[in-house]
Amino acid sequence: MNNLTLFGEGYSYLVPLLLNKSGNGFIHSRFANGFNIKLGDSLVFIGTNKNGLLPFGIHLGEAETRTAVSSVNNSDSAVWNQKTNSLEFQTFTISLEKAKQYKTVLTKLKSEQVFDRSFELFYSHLKTINEQTGLDVSIRDFIDKFQADCEQNWLGVESYLIMLIKAAKTSDELLMDKALRYFLGRGNGLTPSGDDMIVGLLAFDAVSGFLSTRFYEKLSELIEGESITTDVAKEYLRYALKQEYSSTVSDMVNALASGNDSNFKQVFRNLLGVGHSSGLDTLMGILIGMITSKTTTNN
């Protein structure tokens, strides 16, 4: 038992708080690049940093991740040993002794001029994407319609995107409720597309501040009070409500907020490459956030 020790490379500054609070957990879900541990009502991800540094992550190298993933099954126990600073599983241990602690930092939007320049740059990059989002929306078509500057006959998912933009600018709780309920839990996978999009929306708000406190409260009420989405999506949304994001998301909104376009293409590609459609769905949410912010400012 525990005859093999794997060493973590990095972990979120928030993880020790969860481990010390909950202690004992179990394997919640596993996949090629890692697995999630359920600790009380929270999750901790263990695996590679392929999708960025996660706010609830312990990251291992690729070889260590393969070993760990192949050695666990769903529902297996996981025990935090505070004395040795390690997680104990049935056949191995993950030590944090050599791991570096990290915290992603957000940059506040510099100016309206920076916003306008970033908005155009972001638009131009999005319009090069041919793929549909996880909710079967063409970002390119949506941008073209929105830029047409005339009354559009919005249908299907696009009509709810417009509703979300309106809900994000209003104090109308019924509108907020209807828009959020449409997107939360909508789509396939551990993080449904609608949830990834809401994370993107919140991420741009984190650097620009256009959403009301009530919007945050309404979202929190829905994910905490109802079984409206998956456990993993719920975890990402919980952190987003506290303005904690994966590094792929924070790097993208920081690039938009700072106006520093030297690494813009790289951070855009990094986020786009996350998951099957998670990155694209998050980019769509950031776009909705930028449109909302822009139209709110101009009204």
Side-chain angles (χ1 to χ4, degrees), residues 74 184 246:
N74 286 348
L184 292 173
S246 69

Side-chain angles (χ1 to χ4, degrees), residues 61-82:
E62 291 189 8
E64 289 80 5
T65 296
R66 284 194 296 271
T67 299
V69 170
S70 65
S71 304
V72 297
N73 294 297
N74 286 348
S75 300
D76 282 358
S77 65
V79 178
W80 173 243
N81 187 327
Q82 193 169 353

Side-chain angles (χ1 to χ4, degrees), residues 108-175:
K108 290 300 179 183
L109 184 63
K110 278 190 174 180
S111 65
E112 191 174 332
Q113 290 74 26
V114 166
F115 176 89
D116 289 339
R117 192 167 68 249
S118 293
F119 192 63
E120 291 304 315
L121 185 59
F122 195 53
Y123 251 33
S124 66
H125 275 68
L126 289 174
K127 290 187 75 171
T128 66
I129 299 172
N130 295 318
E131 295 84 1
Q132 304 277 100
T133 69
L135 296 180
D136 291 326
V137 173
S138 164
I139 293 187
R140 179 188 291 171
D141 290 350
F142 181 81
I143 289 173
D144 287 342
K145 284 169 116 177
F146 201 87
Q147 283 184 315
D149 197 28
C150 61
E151 282 298 316
Q152 294 287 344
N153 184 24
W154 299 103
L155 300 172
V157 179
E158 289 184 344
S159 68
Y160 282 92
L161 290 172
I162 298 301
M163 182 189 295
L164 183 62
I165 291 169
K166 292 177 179 176
K169 295 193 290 184
T170 182
S171 57
D172 186 336
E173 292 198 26
L174 289 177
L175 194 61

Side-chain angles (χ1 to χ4, degrees), residues 11-252:
Y11 61 91
S12 166
Y13 79 105
L14 296 165
V15 162
L17 302 174
L18 291 175
L19 294 171
N20 292 327
K21 178 183 177 183
S22 301
N24 298 342
F26 62 90
I27 308 299
H28 173 275
S29 44
R30 59 191 285 270
F31 18 88
N33 66 319
F35 55 89
N36 289 310
I37 298 174
K38 185 83 167 175
L39 293 163
D41 196 32
S42 300
L43 294 178
V44 170
F45 170 80
I46 296 177
T48 68
N49 60 4
K50 177 185 173 185
N51 293 330
L53 303 175
L54 304 190
F56 53 100
I58 296 173
H59 294 292
L60 309 175
E62 291 189 8
E64 289 80 5
T65 296
R66 284 194 296 271
T67 299
V69 170
S70 65
S71 304
V72 297
N73 294 297
N74 286 348
S75 300
D76 282 358
S77 65
V79 178
W80 173 243
N81 187 327
Q82 193 169 353
K83 290 181 180 178
T84 61
N85 207 26
S86 59
L87 270 166
E88 298 174 351
F89 301 87
Q90 290 179 8
T91 60
F92 68 100
T93 295
I94 294 177
S95 171
L96 300 187
E97 284 299 305
K98 299 178 181 179
K100 293 182 179 179
Q101 184 173 282
Y102 62 80
K103 182 184 190 305
T104 55
V105 178
L106 293 170
T107 301
K108 290 300 179 183
L109 184 63
K110 278 190 174 180
S111 65
E112 191 174 332
Q113 290 74 26
V114 166
F115 176 89
D116 289 339
R117 192 167 68 249
S118 293
F119 192 63
E120 291 304 315
L121 185 59
F122 195 53
Y123 251 33
S124 66
H125 275 68
L126 289 174
K127 290 187 75 171
T128 66
I129 299 172
N130 295 318
E131 295 84 1
Q132 304 277 100
T133 69
L135 296 180
D136 291 326
V137 173
S138 164
I139 293 187
R140 179 188 291 171
D141 290 350
F142 181 81
I143 289 173
D144 287 342
K145 284 169 116 177
F146 201 87
Q147 283 184 315
D149 197 28
C150 61
E151 282 298 316
Q152 294 287 344
N153 184 24
W154 299 103
L155 300 172
V157 179
E158 289 184 344
S159 68
Y160 282 92
L161 290 172
I162 298 301
M163 182 189 295
L164 183 62
I165 291 169
K166 292 177 179 176
K169 295 193 290 184
T170 182
S171 57
D172 186 336
E173 292 198 26
L174 289 177
L175 194 61
M176 286 182 203
D177 188 79
K178 188 175 181 180
L180 288 170
R181 283 183 185 280
Y182 179 84
F183 288 106
L184 292 173
R186 186 169 295 272
N188 300 318
L190 288 172
T191 58
S193 298
D195 300 82
D196 288 327
M197 207 192 68
I198 298 298
V199 167
L201 170 69
L202 294 179
F204 191 71
D205 177 69
V207 299
S208 59
F210 59 89
L211 289 173
S212 67
T213 300
R214 188 60 194 132
F215 189 93
Y216 275 75
E217 291 171 348
K218 172 58 71 175
L219 177 56
S220 180
E221 287 167 11
L222 288 172
I223 64 171
E224 300 297 349
E226 302 181 26
S227 298
I228 199 167
T229 189
T230 66
D231 288 345
V232 180
K234 183 178 178 180
E235 200 70 7
Y236 276 103
L237 286 164
R238 277 176 168 168
Y239 281 95
L241 286 167
K242 295 182 287 188
Q243 299 193 338
E244 298 280 354
Y245 298 91
S246 69
S247 60
T248 50
V249 174
S250 60
D251 286 349
M252 183 71 260

